Amino acid sequence: MTQTTTKPTLKIIPLGGLHEIGKNTCIFEYEEEIILVDAGLAFPTSEMHGINIVLPDMTYLRENRHKIKGMIATHGHEDHIGGIPYHLKQFDIPIIYGPRLAIALLRDKLEEAGLSDRTTLKTVGPRDIVKMSESFSVEFIRNTHSMADSFTIAIHTPLGVVIHTGDFKIDHTPIDGEYFDLQKLAEHGEKGVLCLLSDSTNSEVPGMTPSERSVYPNLDRIIAQAEGRLMITTFASSVHRVNIILQLAQKHNRKVAVVGRSMLNVIAHARELGYIKCPDDVFIPFKATRNLPDEKLLILTTGSQGETLAALTRISNGEHSHIKVRPGDTIVFSANPIPGNTIAVVNTIDRLMIQGAKVIYGRNQGIHVSGHGAQEEQKLMLALTRPKFFIPVHGEHRMLVKHAQTAQSVGVPAENMVIIRNGDIVELSADSIGIGGQVSSGIELVDQAGIVHEHVMLERQQLAEEGVVTVATAINWEGKLLTPPEIHLRGVVTKVERSLLRQLIIRAIERLLEERWCDFARANNSQGLTVDWGFLQEEIESTLQRLIRRELRTNPLVVLLLQIPEQPIGQDAAPIKTYRRRRSTASVTS
Amino acid sequence: MTQTTTKPTLKIIPLGGLHEIGKNTCIFEYEEEIILVDAGLAFPTSEMHGINIVLPDMTYLRENRHKIKGMIATHGHEDHIGGIPYHLKQFDIPIIYGPRLAIALLRDKLEEAGLSDRTTLKTVGPRDIVKMSESFSVEFIRNTHSMADSFTIAIHTPLGVVIHTGDFKIDHTPIDGEYFDLQKLAEHGEKGVLCLLSDSTNSEVPGMTPSERSVYPNLDRIIAQAEGRLMITTFASSVHRVNIILQLAQKHNRKVAVVGRSMLNVIAHARELGYIKCPDDVFIPFKATRNLPDEKLLILTTGSQGETLAALTRISNGEHSHIKVRPGDTIVFSANPIPGNTIAVVNTIDRLMIQGAKVIYGRNQGIHVSGHGAQEEQKLMLALTRPKFFIPVHGEHRMLVKHAQTAQSVGVPAENMVIIRNGDIVELSADSIGIGGQVSSGIELVDQAGIVHEHVMLERQQLAEEGVVTVATAINWEGKLLTPPEIHLRGVVTKVERSLLRQLIIRAIERLLEERWCDFARANNSQGLTVDWGFLQEEIESTLQRLIRRELRTNPLVVLLLQIPEQPIGQDAAPIKTYRRRRSTASVTS
């Protein structure tokens, strides 16, 4: 014991995935070495206007890039590997280990982003042990999940073994015959596990998550009963589900037309790697389906979450260039809506039904199961690994709390676990666990043009809710309005007469100039007059903002475009005093 | 039969509530007479930026205002009465009949809007029959629902009796002892019901909705076990639930501090009218709770849906001026999230838990039941009334379809029912039902300043997602740039250098002027030069929009503020040709 306390602590620092479902990213740090486990992305909430993806703030890794020895991808879901291309632009990750399917998907991403030469990708198999650095070796333990080829990992450290479950359920009858390697977990449990980090997604759900296989008979019956054309949607990444659907298509003698880029991509890789075994002639390009009778066709499509751009959503909107819904179509949602997507999904279902399709959806159809284990599976994980310390991960706050309660119920003492947030530094020694501080842990929002900063988001928020009033005018060197202001309103609602508004604006600017011109303009001994145009601009803007709030009873963004005249004749070019705006805005001034 | 066919048809025209949950509004029209059943509002979806409420398009009623004989409010929920103040500003409704509680709430609304003198409000009781006009009499049949004092109505028309269920469940053990008047329904069924319009909200749910009373023992246990301060949130309008909570507060010797304006308002009216019987000393103003031990206090609060401005949401954000969460608090969500509110609710729960509260929530706690009947109750309604024709109402498309299937299962022939949309004109005769056309049926969006038109919403959408680029410049009568453009970007992300962007914009405007000045400016024989500044403005804007889309790879709204110079000396004031902009925008030009 005295010896262990002199050893440095192991630091576990999650940058994403805690108090949320998404962007799982976790640092393991020992002395001067860091390994990264997963680097995912999250999808924006409805308030994040114009944002495509959400990433963790990677400041800590940027600042400690020299320590990074490598990375592990536990499996190929976007919330585990989707952030990697963005991060590789900021710092190097010398090597990334992962299962074959995840690495194949990641290779595509890196190629598309032109980053293939920025790291080395290595595939691993079950029970492989990879020496990542002096202090870290990682052992890959086959688990079961909605995506094929998924791993739980055992991280061997100088302080002991830390098990990170990755995403898991315990499916004793997996579709691909790849069983959860419970023996390896038990072996670690027997030898001693220092700490377990375990998936909390379904910690509020009692019992066991049903096996993926339970979906088979229900989909079988539905496909058997479908009389016309059949469309089935599920998550593209749910390789096992796709596998079931392909098997059933063969059984019921339907050709499969795959629609949606991500679905095509995952199927191609899964077939290539043998996770889906299916003869070529099961598939038919959609364009070749013209002469196929309806009852011989199965369209497998993206859009199970009502995503705006997904194929089934476009089909439901009548916007898909090739596929139109016809009465007699049967459309099957083999997926539940993720919270936040419910309205988009039910609206899609309604639109499909209105066009005459029979739509099969809902929890009581038995055509979807979760990829994450419920309470009894979480207990089994704890029972097999018997960890000394426990950290619930991959979940929102109440899920973490519930998982901690579950852990307590199977014998982990409350003082041996921590409920943490992104950015917390968990300090682990051989006989203690605690939070030793925080690193920077915000989010980075990315739209098609790049990182979107917070002030831009605030502007978008105001623009979205209240619109914008733009005022252009010019002021001369005597502090008089040179031209009557030009005023445009966009996204603004008001009952105020335009001419009245213009009069009010003119009067407000004139009054400000009369009363305060000397605050902005100063006679400068040697160089004539100096006008602080930046300061003037800001003061007029805030005056107008107040005026508009008062008169229009709404609070649009006010943008003033102030034309600055040439220096008056007879005076040398006076340096215009630079004024630092209180809020940084992206502006170009003459 | 020959006689009935010569009679005019009864028209049933829903303006809201079909293919949606919300803004229930239904017209019954016979010859020159209209009665209106309910006039509700809906709440905006997340894409409706800055919108407070959503109303049906009332064009048809505006145009037929002379026919309106009166209105019925079936009960006091916002989606049944919330639209009335807005409509009364547009057309007269001579008289509004409704249950006492609904009328009390409505009276408040009209007073607040200064509209008290615009209509007559009349309360009705169970089995009252009101003659609305020559052709319409309305009979009020007590039903059971989450809100107290709710009615199903039987509309007596020259063609027969039409029953509109309003919102209902069939609760045999109602909290207020006001039983569903099943006898009256049965009597109508016996005599003959021409048509039934029935609530479809829970048509996808098998079985019976549990009685409101089933909540009592579970809340009882939770309140008994709470050790410290207790907060309970539910819908303010769920009078029975509030009643249960108040009864349990007395039982467990806790004083009740009511927080949230709508909760205070509903409780005041419900007590006044006797729906809640509760001594004064049960209540305590929050300010007086300082010296009350925690275990003697129950805070009853709004915010069960995570609404941004509701008390519990502000408490969870630490923004409530009086109430801060403390470890030891027990907070109970006696309400399920409405679809679309799930994320707001779970985030509120998480924030409360993080501050140390024990939060009790979720479907398996037995602390919430729906106010709408499930399939077996819908069957009972059909079985009691035995309608000739059936119209499922109050539901999204798939709910209407499911309800129609249920009706078929109990013997209503498929050809005797219609699934309709807002704006459909159902034509009903004694022996036929059909859709005879459509009336205008869009939505009207209202923000704090008034009605928001579609082009404003489109602008807000673009502003929200892409931001705005404003460009101010001046052009002289020779078609030359007078001043370098002033450019501001708000809500825009770009990697393009500011100075480069400005150069590009200058060049684009100059090129346009060089090539096309003669399209805009014409020498006019008698009056000198005429410049079509509006056309010029539009052409520059679309040129810049294309430029910015290409160069910034984003598509912000482009607003050009073009300063128009004085008429050149030596020329008479030329009338500037008016140009009608393709898209109407709220703009002020000098």
Side-chain angles (χ1 to χ4, degrees), chain A residues 160-416:
Chain A
V161 169
V162 175
I163 292 186
H164 190 305
T165 63
D167 292 5
F168 79 99
K169 65 192 287 188
I170 297 179
D171 189 339
H172 297 304
T173 55
I175 294 297
D176 58 2
E178 291 269 329
Y179 297 95
F180 204 131
D181 189 354
L182 302 174
Q183 288 69 21
K184 187 51 79 179
L185 288 182
E187 185 188 318
H188 282 296
E190 181 66 23
K191 288 185 193 159
V193 170
L194 179 63
C195 184
L196 173 70
L197 292 84
S198 183
D199 176 359
S200 308
T201 312
N202 278 338
S203 67
E204 296 175 291
V205 182
M208 296 271 296
T209 299
S211 168
E212 180 66 30
R213 202 168 285 273
S214 69
V215 166
Y216 187 98
N218 298 313
L219 280 179
D220 189 11
R221 176 180 40 81
I222 288 166
I223 295 174
Q225 288 170 357
E227 289 174 357
R229 202 164 54 157
L230 185 63
M231 297 188 206
I232 304 184
T233 184
T234 188
F235 298 97
S237 60
S238 292
V239 175
H240 305 309
R241 187 72 45 81
V242 169
N243 214 340
I244 290 175
I245 294 165
L246 293 172
Q247 285 172 27
L248 287 169
Q250 293 171 75
K251 177 176 172 189
H252 295 285
N253 205 13
R254 287 185 184 251
K255 296 279 179 203
V256 178
V258 180
V259 176
R261 187 172 168 235
S262 57
M263 190 70 88
L264 284 159
N265 191 32
V266 172
I267 291 177
H269 284 301
R271 291 184 72 207
E272 206 173 278
L273 297 170
Y275 298 106
I276 291 178
K277 290 186 186 74
C278 186
D280 282 345
D281 69 357
V282 172
F283 298 95
I284 185 169
F286 184 78
K287 285 175 190 164
T289 61
R290 194 177 253 279
N291 297 318
L292 202 65
D294 281 355
E295 68 276 13
K296 297 285 172 214
L297 177 60
L298 190 162
I299 297 171
L300 179 57
T301 174
T302 53
S304 71
Q305 298 301 305
E307 309 94 318
T308 315
L309 300 175
L312 188 59
T313 312
R314 288 186 291 123
I315 293 170
S316 78
N317 285 320
E319 287 166 2
H320 197 281
S321 40
H322 302 302
I323 308 177
K324 307 288 169 205
V325 176
R326 294 196 298 258
D329 286 348
T330 299
I331 303 177
V332 182
F333 280 72
S334 182
N336 290 340
I338 290 169
N341 295 345
T342 310
I343 289 186
V345 172
V346 297
N347 287 347
T348 304
I349 292 171
D350 278 358
R351 285 192 300 268
L352 294 168
M353 285 179 72
I354 289 169
Q355 292 168 69
K358 180 178 177 189
V359 185
I360 298 173
Y361 63 94
R363 288 175 192 273
N364 42 19
Q365 296 284 349
I367 53 178
H368 180 68
V369 293
S370 174
H372 300 269
Q375 285 171 5
E376 293 306 314
E377 289 151 279
Q378 293 171 344
K379 286 179 195 167
L380 180 54
M381 177 60 75
L382 285 152
L384 284 168
T385 57
R386 286 201 204 145
K388 182 163 189 178
F389 300 112
F390 176 62
I391 307 173
V393 295
H394 201 291
E396 297 172 14
H397 181 75
R398 62 202 182 290
M399 303 169 187
L400 304 178
V401 169
K402 195 74 203 167
H403 201 176
Q405 288 165 359
T406 299
Q408 250 188 293
S409 78
V410 300
V412 182
E415 62 274 20
N416 282 16

Side-chain angles (χ1 to χ4, degrees), chain A residues 19 45-46 49-51 204 206 339-343 346-347 349-351 353-354 361 364 396-399 401-402 421 447-453 455-457 459-461 463-468 470-474 483-495 498-499 501-502 537 541 552-555 557-564 566 581 583 585-590, chain B residues 19 45-46 49-51 204 206 339-343 346-347 349-351 353-354 361 364 396-399 401-402 421 447-453 455-457 459-461 463-468 470-474 483-495 498-499 501-502 537 541 552-555 557-564 566 581 583 585-590:
Chain A
H19 288 79
T45 62
S46 59
H49 301 301
I51 295 303
E204 296 175 291
N341 295 345
T342 310
I343 289 186
V346 297
N347 287 347
I349 292 171
D350 278 358
R351 285 192 300 268
M353 285 179 72
I354 289 169
Y361 63 94
N364 42 19
E396 297 172 14
H397 181 75
R398 62 202 182 290
M399 303 169 187
V401 169
K402 195 74 203 167
R421 304 184 194 210
D447 76 1
Q448 72 268 36
I451 299 281
V452 183
H453 291 290
H455 76 86
V456 173
M457 291 310 296
E459 287 169 357
R460 286 184 183 177
Q461 185 70 29
L463 289 166
E465 299 196 344
E466 317 264 4
V468 60
T470 47
V471 178
T473 193
T483 53
E486 174 87 359
I487 300 162
H488 281 223
L489 279 67
R490 293 293 162 87
V492 176
V493 176
T494 175
K495 292 194 186 95
R498 310 295 163 189
S499 54
L501 180 62
R502 205 151 69 89
Q537 154 118 14
E541 262 183 14
L552 271 53
R553 289 172 164 211
T554 164
N555 191 26
L557 193 69
V558 174
V559 179
L560 175 72
L561 298 111
L562 190 61
Q563 304 249 335
I564 299 171
E566 300 286 311
R581 293 177 62 84
R583 198 170 75 186
T585 54
S587 64
V588 185
T589 48
S590 326
Chain B
H19 287 79
T45 61
S46 60
H49 301 302
I51 296 302
E204 296 176 292
N341 295 344
T342 310
I343 289 184
V346 297
N347 287 347
I349 293 170
D350 278 357
R351 285 193 300 269
M353 285 178 72
I354 289 168
Y361 64 93
N364 43 17
E396 298 171 14
H397 181 76
R398 62 202 181 288
M399 303 169 187
V401 169
K402 195 73 204 169
R421 304 186 193 207
D447 77 0
Q448 71 267 38
I451 300 282
V452 182
H453 292 288
H455 76 87
V456 173
M457 291 309 297
E459 287 170 356
R460 286 186 184 174
Q461 186 69 30
L463 289 167
E465 299 195 346
E466 317 266 4
V468 60
T470 48
V471 178
T473 194
T483 53
E486 175 87 358
I487 300 162
H488 280 223
L489 280 65
R490 294 292 162 87
V492 176
V493 177
T494 175
K495 292 195 185 95
R498 310 295 164 190
S499 54
L501 179 62
R502 204 150 70 86
Q537 154 118 13
E541 261 183 14
L552 269 54
R553 290 171 162 212
T554 163
N555 190 26
L557 193 69
V558 173
V559 179
L560 174 72
L561 298 110
L562 189 60
Q563 304 247 335
I564 299 172
E566 299 287 310
R581 292 176 65 82
R583 198 172 74 186
T585 54
S587 63
V588 185
T589 48
S590 323

Side-chain angles (χ1 to χ4, degrees), chain B residues 112-131:
Chain B
E112 200 173 315
L115 294 164
S116 300
D117 58 343
R118 295 295 299 272
T119 187
T120 303
L121 302 177
K122 286 265 192 196
T123 61
V124 292
R127 299 206 172 184
D128 280 357
I129 300 181
V130 172
K131 188 162 175 60

Side-chain angles (χ1 to χ4, degrees), chain B residues 166-384:
Chain B
D167 291 5
F168 80 99
K169 66 194 285 190
I170 297 180
D171 189 339
H172 297 304
T173 55
I175 295 296
D176 58 2
E178 292 267 330
Y179 295 96
F180 205 130
D181 189 354
L182 302 174
Q183 288 70 23
K184 186 53 80 181
L185 288 182
E187 188 188 317
H188 280 296
E190 181 65 23
K191 288 184 191 159
V193 170
L194 178 64
C195 184
L196 173 70
L197 291 85
S198 184
D199 176 0
S200 310
T201 313
N202 278 339
S203 66
E204 296 176 292
V205 183
M208 298 269 298
T209 299
S211 168
E212 179 66 31
R213 203 168 285 272
S214 69
V215 166
Y216 188 99
N218 298 314
L219 280 179
D220 189 11
R221 176 180 42 79
I222 288 165
I223 295 175
Q225 289 170 356
E227 288 174 358
R229 202 163 54 157
L230 185 63
M231 297 188 207
I232 305 184
T233 184
T234 188
F235 298 97
S237 60
S238 293
V239 175
H240 306 309
R241 187 71 46 80
V242 169
N243 213 340
I244 291 174
I245 294 164
L246 293 172
Q247 286 171 28
L248 287 169
Q250 293 170 73
K251 178 176 171 189
H252 295 286
N253 207 12
R254 286 185 185 252
K255 297 279 180 203
V256 178
V258 180
V259 177
R261 190 174 164 232
S262 57
M263 191 67 90
L264 284 160
N265 191 33
V266 173
I267 291 178
H269 284 301
R271 292 185 70 206
E272 207 173 278
L273 298 170
Y275 297 106
I276 292 179
K277 291 185 186 75
C278 186
D280 283 346
D281 69 356
V282 171
F283 297 96
I284 186 169
F286 184 79
K287 284 176 189 162
T289 61
R290 196 177 251 278
N291 298 317
L292 202 66
D294 281 355
E295 68 277 13
K296 296 288 171 212
L297 177 61
L298 189 161
I299 297 171
L300 179 57
T301 175
T302 53
S304 70
Q305 297 301 305
E307 310 94 318
T308 316
L309 300 175
L312 188 59
T313 312
R314 288 186 290 124
I315 292 169
S316 78
N317 285 322
E319 288 167 0
H320 197 281
S321 39
H322 302 302
I323 308 177
K324 306 287 167 206
V325 177
R326 295 196 297 258
D329 287 347
T330 299
I331 303 178
V332 182
F333 280 71
S334 182
N336 289 342
I338 291 170
N341 295 344
T342 310
I343 289 184
V345 172
V346 297
N347 287 347
T348 304
I349 293 170
D350 278 357
R351 285 193 300 269
L352 294 168
M353 285 178 72
I354 289 168
Q355 292 168 68
K358 180 179 176 189
V359 184
I360 298 173
Y361 64 93
R363 289 175 191 271
N364 43 17
Q365 295 285 347
I367 53 178
H368 181 68
V369 292
S370 174
H372 300 268
Q375 285 171 5
E376 293 306 316
E377 290 151 280
Q378 292 171 345
K379 286 180 196 168
L380 181 53
M381 176 60 76
L382 286 151
L384 285 168

